[in-house]
Amino acid sequence: MQLHDIKIILSNVSDGGNAGAVCRVMKNMELGGLRLASPQPLILERILTVAVNALDVWENARIFKSLGEAVSDCSIVVGTTRRRGSNRKNISMTPRDLAAWLAERPGPAAIVFGNERTGLEENELNLCNFASHIPVSEAHPSLNLSHAVQIYAYEFFLAMGNALPVKGEWTPMNQTEIAALTESITDTLAGFGFYKKPNREEQTRFLRDIISRAGLSTKEGLYFKEIVAKSARLGG
């Protein structure tokens, strides 16, 4: 993966100053893929004032109505959060580990940052394949949005700033393709009575995240789908 494969996504961002500051730190680290998912009304003048010498990042930013739309073309989606819980991700990487891991696989990848005040909500994190956290002091664990983006951007720059193009034709499925494959598999399982208990939704999330982290190509995904379908026929 290379730097241009990284998409920085601000979900429900509320302060134009933060958006402008993110543009600056992205420019510092040669990142240009800024996306805003369902942003709150932002004051353009504040964005332009803060985004000094990085207006091109803002001008090329893409705005989406929802986080789902913003990540649909990405093969891996990482949610940044320090919080843990029964309904939150069990797998989490530090920015350094994440950068090293992403550098070894093709993209594109979305790195999602939540609202300045609340962070990523549970429904937003559910759209991500795993989480990433910045180790900080428990005495004051909250980071400013642009500061958090800076830490990730710096690690990405160190890991991928001089990366060579990925050789070969391996292109992992994006989130739309992964969702379709996951639905097909769970439909097949449901067809022969696999779900005796109401746990299909939980298993759907599990399968989607596993498939995404595996980085299956479209051809491999289809092969996997055929294996499940054939197993169902043999079982019948």
Side-chain angles (χ1 to χ4, degrees):
M1 188 177 299
Q2 300 181 67
L3 288 173
H4 64 76
D5 293 313
I6 301 292
K7 314 302 176 186
I8 299 296
I9 300 183
L10 307 182
S11 183
N12 196 31
V13 63
S14 61
D15 183 7
N18 280 324
V22 167
C23 291
R24 286 194 66 181
V25 303
M26 290 178 65
K27 184 78 170 183
N28 290 148
M29 299 300 155
E30 297 184 359
L31 292 170
L34 177 61
R35 298 182 178 186
L36 279 67
S38 58
Q40 297 183 27
L42 302 175
I43 301 174
L44 180 59
E45 182 179 358
R46 182 161 169 75
I47 296 173
L48 301 181
T49 298
V50 179
V52 180
N53 298 323
L55 294 181
D56 57 316
V57 177
W58 174 253
E59 291 167 352
N60 293 316
R62 299 177 62 188
I63 300 177
F64 297 82
K65 293 181 180 179
S66 69
L67 180 57
E69 293 179 8
V71 303
S72 64
D73 63 339
C74 296
S75 61
I76 191 74
V77 183
V78 182
T80 59
T81 179
R82 65 179 177 83
R83 300 197 302 271
R84 292 289 175 271
S86 59
N87 293 321
R88 301 184 75 84
K89 298 298 181 185
N90 293 319
I91 296 177
S92 182
M93 292 186 185
T94 65
R96 183 159 299 175
D97 290 337
L98 174 64
W101 184 74
L102 290 177
E104 297 298 321
R105 59 171 291 152
I111 315 301
V112 185
F113 297 83
N115 175 266
E116 298 95 324
R117 186 177 61 85
T118 60
L120 283 181
E121 302 289 352
E122 183 179 319
N123 64 314
E124 294 172 314
L125 193 58
N126 279 339
L127 293 173
C128 303
N129 305 123
F130 63 89
S132 178
H133 68 283
I134 299 172
V136 292
S137 169
E138 287 300 318
H140 189 57
S142 179
L143 284 169
N144 176 274
L145 174 60
S146 64
H147 295 176
V149 175
Q150 177 70 84
I151 292 171
Y152 282 92
Y154 172 72
E155 295 295 346
F156 295 152
F157 183 76
L158 290 184
M160 301 174 229
N162 297 312
L164 297 174
V166 176
K167 297 181 180 179
E169 299 181 352
W170 173 43
T171 302
M173 294 185 295
N174 60 38
Q175 294 297 305
T176 300
E177 294 171 319
I178 292 169
L181 174 60
T182 303
E183 183 178 6
S184 174
I185 292 173
T186 54
D187 281 346
T188 300
L189 293 175
F192 60 86
F194 183 82
Y195 298 108
K196 301 298 184 182
K197 298 181 180 179
N199 65 341
R200 177 171 176 173
E201 182 178 350
E202 177 183 349
Q203 191 168 93
T204 296
R205 289 196 300 268
F206 170 77
L207 287 171
R208 186 203 64 195
D209 293 352
I210 289 294
I211 292 169
S212 179
R213 292 201 298 272
L216 299 183
S217 67
T218 301
K219 183 177 180 180
E220 290 170 330
L222 290 174
Y223 188 44
F224 187 27
K225 176 182 176 180
E226 291 172 0
I227 291 174
V228 175
K230 186 174 182 179
S231 299
R233 292 194 295 270
L234 291 175

